[in-house]
Amino acid sequence: MQHPTFNFVPGPSALYFTAEHHIQEAVRKGIPSISHRSEEFKNIYRHTDSQLRNLLNLPDNYQILFAASATEIWERIAQNLVLQKSGHVVNGAFSEKCLQTAKDYQLQTEEVRAAWGEVQLAQPGSFSDDVEVIHFTLNETSTGAQYPVENIYEIRKAYPEALISVDMVSAAPVLPIDFEQIDCAYFSVQKCFGLPAGLGVWLINDRSLDKFRKNKESGRLTGSYRRLDRIADSARKFQTQETPNVLNIYLLGKIAEDMNQRGIQAIRNDGIYKSVLLYETFRKHPALKPLVLEEKFRSGTVAYAQCEGGAKRFVEALAQKGLCIGTGYGKLKEDCFRIANFPTHSRELIEMLCDELLKIE
Amino acid sequence: MQHPTFNFVPGPSALYFTAEHHIQEAVRKGIPSISHRSEEFKNIYRHTDSQLRNLLNLPDNYQILFAASATEIWERIAQNLVLQKSGHVVNGAFSEKCLQTAKDYQLQTEEVRAAWGEVQLAQPGSFSDDVEVIHFTLNETSTGAQYPVENIYEIRKAYPEALISVDMVSAAPVLPIDFEQIDCAYFSVQKCFGLPAGLGVWLINDRSLDKFRKNKESGRLTGSYRRLDRIADSARKFQTQETPNVLNIYLLGKIAEDMNQRGIQAIRNDGIYKSVLLYETFRKHPALKPLVLEEKFRSGTVAYAQCEGGAKRFVEALAQKGLCIGTGYGKLKEDCFRIANFPTHSRELIEMLCDELLKIE
């Protein structure tokens, strides 16, 4: 298969532009073979932890834990943090899967549901008072719908006993959030961070840990090597319970460092510029319009368009020029396309893509 | 930290000697950024599946599934395959952790227990008739004790209703086993396969799937994205439930292909030669003896020595020559060292290591 000049598929993403260098250097330095019980590994974890805290502006009462994937973290939240009931704001495939995971774990679930492409805001009163965790998806990758953080903070005030959990899989670190106003968040490394898949990052605060401890006392089964006290204890010593993906933990630290050097504000400003340009291009094109009709809910990291006459001609025409965009997700595949707007996609690249888009009839 | 010329630590291992080339080629080909829902990914999975089947001589009624780590697979076995009771042959840290995982999942457990460095064979009658899974560890990495496969086959005949599960983490593909006489096995890629950590491989036969289905009917909670029917269904289409470690699945296929080209018998013969040489070196050295006293139980992949006067001087003297051996595991750290004898460690390298060992007083 001939490979595209550039990859705009929203995950796995094109590698961040410094990733290849770091991979080669990692192999040269023997990183894949170091012991995860060594000082060298602890230093790597420490470095990654410190760079991420800086990049995300993470409060001190948070811990950074590693898992295999965000998918796994849905499960670990259900196992560790919920005894009976979780609430879910559902408006696409990934928020749906998080809900399904809770059901698989035989939890009672409550929903605020919207059609794909829409955002239905949660309200005080949307959930029962005894809901234990309320799940939000900051950026629903399957529909290009971004959830307003102000509403998340409002719901947290309305449910002071509950934990607020935010799926930041295709949001972190680009879409800002105030971690002091939530309790738990997670992302994967193969989206905005532009790394090979194989690492999930779980951010939890002390309220989450306290809830876990209460759950544990109830005798409820809370898992094994991903039991929250076990991973949190290990993390405090910059260790993991199992042999982790050492290479990816190292690479994440390097990419986070590169992003810190660029400056998160600069990255976010670029993101806004590119996002505006992409939606403006959809507006100008007679056959395109954003899937998300309300402008304030349009994703700043995944630009999603509906295509009159179907998406195929756009995807194919761009592919012929070496520009590989994503098709719509699932049921949206025929009629929509998706363009990743991640830190690795430069302004110039997005400008070129937009120019090419406008040439297609 | 100055890096050793060569790494004999039994995991994470030194990379297989072709791994670096495959990593660079993978990055060049854009493998880390391909979609796990693409034809290209299915072809990669297909290739890895086919090479592993060949290498391990896997019967057709087995499926090859991917997880994040062998540690995770302990958990998934407990979740999917056991309703009430599992049996465990325990003689070191890893067999102990597998047992602990079953206990964490609130299962009843039965044990055949030996001290570290020993092997206690299971007997017909060691476990209750209603035991559902019996766990063996083919190579206990923490003690260098290898379990005789003939006994595993015997126990399977004595417990025809039970599933036989074998931890092959530091055994596959070097230590042979007849998969027709077991039901479930698993390994990680960072031992004998010489790849970066971050992928576990789970081999299950149709009996295991049948047991899962029975368990599911009982209404027992069997997990979410790693529910066995879900991953097995995906695997049949060369897919995974979540975004997997695509890079490692690709690399595993390449390494397995290289090993097939070398020939598994040649690899095993080399392994035996190196193993004999290592234990012979321990015998010759006045201050060394194998930890495992009974020759027939000495590991063919991890050579473990007890050192009169402590292990430190051996580890340090060799490190100064750029030869990095492993310390003893856990409580054995002060008095023992471990030498990985994996396919990436050539005869010449092991010969050199043994010569250097004999120079140390």
Side-chain angles (χ1 to χ4, degrees):
Chain A
M1 172 189 154
Q2 186 194 4
H3 272 274
T5 309
F6 220 87
N7 174 355
F8 298 88
V9 177
S13 157
L15 291 187
Y16 191 68
F17 62 94
T18 60
E20 184 170 345
H21 158 75
H22 290 306
I23 291 170
Q24 283 167 4
E25 198 177 64
V27 172
R28 197 183 52 75
K29 282 158 68 169
I31 300 296
S33 304
I34 71 168
S35 165
H36 54 300
R37 304 295 176 211
S38 64
E39 272 313 301
E40 192 175 2
F41 174 77
K42 290 181 191 175
N43 289 336
I44 287 171
Y45 193 145
R46 211 175 258 124
H47 176 260
T48 298
D49 181 282
S50 147
Q51 294 296 331
L52 279 177
R53 283 181 190 277
N54 188 6
L55 189 67
L56 300 171
N57 194 23
L58 203 64
D60 287 340
N61 68 338
Y62 268 79
Q63 278 193 268
I64 298 179
L65 312 174
F66 295 116
S69 61
T71 299
E72 186 196 353
I73 295 166
W74 288 328
E75 174 183 47
R76 303 311 183 182
I77 290 171
Q79 273 188 314
N80 281 284
L81 297 181
V82 190
L83 273 177
Q84 297 194 317
K85 188 183 296 184
S86 54
H88 299 256
V89 178
V90 183
N91 66 338
F94 296 99
S95 39
E96 192 78 59
K97 290 186 207 207
C98 178
L99 170 69
Q100 184 59 49
T101 305
K103 290 182 175 182
D104 289 334
Y105 273 83
Q106 296 169 356
L107 300 176
Q108 296 168 47
T109 56
E110 297 180 339
E111 303 168 28
V112 168
R113 182 170 279 277
W116 282 34
E118 290 174 24
V119 170
Q120 177 72 35
L121 296 179
Q123 303 297 336
S126 290
F127 305 106
S128 309
D129 285 332
D130 62 346
V131 75
E132 298 162 61
V133 172
I134 303 174
H135 287 275
F136 294 89
T137 302
L138 184 47
N139 196 68
E140 180 49 75
T141 324
S142 64
T143 68
Q146 184 174 327
Y147 199 90
V149 294
E150 299 73 24
N151 174 271
I152 298 177
Y153 307 152
E154 231 185 277
I155 297 303
R156 209 242 202 151
K157 291 191 187 77
Y159 291 89
E161 300 303 313
L163 297 175
I164 302 299
S165 176
V166 180
D167 174 336
M168 304 183 69
V169 164
S170 54
V174 178
L175 306 178
I177 194 164
D178 180 359
F179 286 92
E180 300 219 354
Q181 302 203 55
I182 64 172
D183 300 290
C184 163
Y186 48 94
F187 61 90
S188 313
V189 301
Q190 75 272 11
K191 309 279 182 189
C192 301
F193 282 92
L195 285 172
L199 188 70
V201 183
W202 192 9
L203 313 169
I204 55 146
N205 69 3
D206 46 6
R207 289 186 79 223
S208 297
L209 260 175
D210 289 342
K211 176 65 162 87
F212 160 79
R213 288 186 190 111
K214 263 199 225 95
N215 291 354
K216 183 98 189 57
E217 274 161 37
S218 76
R220 152 75 181 266
L221 181 158
T222 39
S224 181
Y225 69 110
R226 290 280 197 244
R227 222 177 68 186
L228 205 46
D229 54 344
R230 288 177 175 162
I231 32 174
D233 285 348
S234 287
R236 252 173 240 114
K237 298 175 279 186
F238 302 103
Q239 290 277 271
T240 58
Q241 285 277 304
E242 83 295 6
T243 310
N245 189 331
V246 178
L247 178 59
N248 257 3
I249 293 172
Y250 169 88
L251 294 173
L252 179 60
K254 290 299 185 182
I255 299 305
E257 183 176 8
D258 292 339
M259 289 183 169
N260 280 322
Q261 278 177 5
R262 204 167 147 195
I264 188 60
Q265 207 43 63
I267 291 174
R268 286 177 176 157
N269 291 345
D270 277 354
I272 293 166
Y273 170 82
K274 293 178 284 161
S275 193
V276 165
L277 182 59
L278 283 159
Y279 290 116
E280 183 58 15
T281 305
F282 298 168
R283 195 188 63 76
K284 278 192 217 164
H285 196 297
L288 299 179
K289 68 179 180 184
L291 176 66
V292 177
L293 295 176
E294 291 196 65
E295 195 179 334
K296 59 186 175 179
F297 297 142
R298 289 178 194 154
S299 167
T301 56
V302 180
Y304 222 114
Q306 296 184 75
C307 320
E308 208 177 284
K312 194 173 175 195
R313 70 191 187 284
F314 291 95
V315 175
E316 288 184 346
L318 290 170
Q320 279 184 7
K321 302 202 171 191
L323 304 170
C324 186
I325 63 175
T327 55
Y329 190 93
K331 61 191 178 186
L332 299 179
K333 185 178 168 145
E334 298 303 315
D335 295 324
C336 298
F337 62 69
R338 298 183 287 169
I339 294 170
N341 170 11
F342 295 160
T344 200
H345 304 104
S346 66
R347 290 186 180 218
E348 294 77 13
L349 200 60
I350 295 291
E351 285 165 358
M352 173 183 64
L353 178 67
C354 289
D355 289 345
E356 290 299 330
L357 253 176
L358 288 172
K359 292 178 190 168
I360 303 164
E361 304 218 345
Chain B
M1 175 188 153
Q2 186 194 4
H3 273 271
T5 310
F6 220 87
N7 174 354
F8 298 89
V9 177
S13 158
L15 291 186
Y16 192 68
F17 62 93
T18 59
E20 183 169 347
H21 159 75
H22 290 306
I23 291 170
Q24 283 167 3
E25 199 178 64
V27 172
R28 195 182 53 72
K29 281 157 70 168
I31 301 293
S33 303
I34 73 171
S35 166
H36 53 298
R37 304 295 175 211
S38 65
E39 272 314 300
E40 193 176 1
F41 174 76
K42 290 181 192 176
N43 289 336
I44 287 172
Y45 194 145
R46 213 177 257 123
H47 175 261
T48 298
D49 180 282
S50 148
Q51 294 296 330
L52 279 177
R53 284 181 190 277
N54 187 4
L55 189 67
L56 300 171
N57 195 24
L58 203 63
D60 289 341
N61 68 339
Y62 268 79
Q63 277 193 269
I64 298 179
L65 312 173
F66 296 115
S69 61
T71 299
E72 186 196 353
I73 295 167
W74 287 330
E75 174 182 47
R76 303 311 182 183
I77 290 171
Q79 273 188 312
N80 282 284
L81 298 180
V82 189
L83 274 176
Q84 295 194 318
K85 187 183 297 184
S86 55
H88 300 256
V89 178
V90 182
N91 65 337
F94 296 99
S95 39
E96 192 78 59
K97 288 183 203 207
C98 177
L99 169 69
Q100 184 58 49
T101 304
K103 290 183 174 181
D104 288 333
Y105 274 84
Q106 295 169 358
L107 301 176
Q108 295 168 49
T109 55
E110 295 179 342
E111 303 167 29
V112 168
R113 182 170 281 278
W116 283 34
E118 290 173 25
V119 170
Q120 178 71 35
L121 296 179
Q123 304 296 337
S126 290
F127 305 106
S128 309
D129 285 333
D130 61 346
V131 76
E132 298 162 61
V133 173
I134 302 174
H135 287 274
F136 294 90
T137 301
L138 183 47
N139 197 67
E140 179 51 74
T141 325
S142 64
T143 68
Q146 184 175 326
Y147 199 90
V149 293
E150 299 75 22
N151 174 271
I152 297 177
Y153 309 152
E154 232 185 276
I155 297 304
R156 209 240 202 155
K157 291 191 185 76
Y159 291 89
E161 300 304 312
L163 297 174
I164 303 298
S165 175
V166 181
D167 174 334
M168 306 183 65
V169 164
S170 55
V174 178
L175 306 180
I177 194 163
D178 181 0
F179 286 91
E180 302 220 354
Q181 302 203 56
I182 64 173
D183 301 290
C184 160
Y186 49 94
F187 61 90
S188 313
V189 301
Q190 75 273 10
K191 309 277 181 187
C192 300
F193 283 91
L195 285 171
L199 188 71
V201 182
W202 191 10
L203 313 169
I204 54 147
N205 70 4
D206 47 6
R207 289 186 78 224
S208 298
L209 261 176
D210 289 342
K211 177 64 163 82
F212 160 78
R213 287 184 191 113
K214 261 200 226 97
N215 290 355
K216 184 103 189 52
E217 275 161 34
S218 76
R220 152 73 183 270
L221 180 157
T222 39
S224 180
Y225 70 109
R226 292 281 197 242
R227 222 176 67 185
L228 204 46
D229 53 345
R230 287 175 174 164
I231 32 174
D233 286 347
S234 287
R236 252 173 239 115
K237 297 175 280 187
F238 302 103
Q239 290 277 270
T240 59
Q241 285 277 305
E242 83 296 5
T243 310
N245 189 330
V246 177
L247 177 59
N248 256 4
I249 292 172
Y250 170 87
L251 293 173
L252 179 59
K254 290 299 186 181
I255 299 304
E257 183 177 7
D258 291 339
M259 289 183 170
N260 280 324
Q261 278 178 5
R262 204 166 145 195
I264 189 61
Q265 206 44 63
I267 292 173
R268 286 177 176 158
N269 291 344
D270 277 353
I272 293 166
Y273 171 83
K274 292 178 285 162
S275 192
V276 166
L277 182 58
L278 282 159
Y279 290 114
E280 183 57 15
T281 304
F282 298 169
R283 194 188 65 77
K284 281 193 216 165
H285 196 299
L288 299 178
K289 68 179 180 187
L291 177 66
V292 177
L293 294 177
E294 290 196 65
E295 192 178 337
K296 60 185 174 180
F297 298 142
R298 288 177 195 155
S299 168
T301 55
V302 179
Y304 221 116
Q306 296 184 77
C307 319
E308 212 177 279
K312 195 172 177 196
R313 68 192 189 285
F314 292 95
V315 175
E316 288 183 350
L318 290 169
Q320 279 184 7
K321 302 200 169 191
L323 304 169
C324 186
I325 64 175
T327 54
Y329 190 92
K331 59 189 177 185
L332 299 179
K333 184 177 170 145
E334 298 303 318
D335 295 322
C336 299
F337 63 68
R338 299 184 285 170
I339 295 170
N341 170 11
F342 294 162
T344 200
H345 303 105
S346 67
R347 291 187 179 217
E348 294 76 13
L349 200 60
I350 296 291
E351 285 165 357
M352 173 183 64
L353 178 65
C354 289
D355 289 344
E356 291 299 329
L357 252 177
L358 289 172
K359 293 178 189 168
I360 304 164
E361 304 219 343

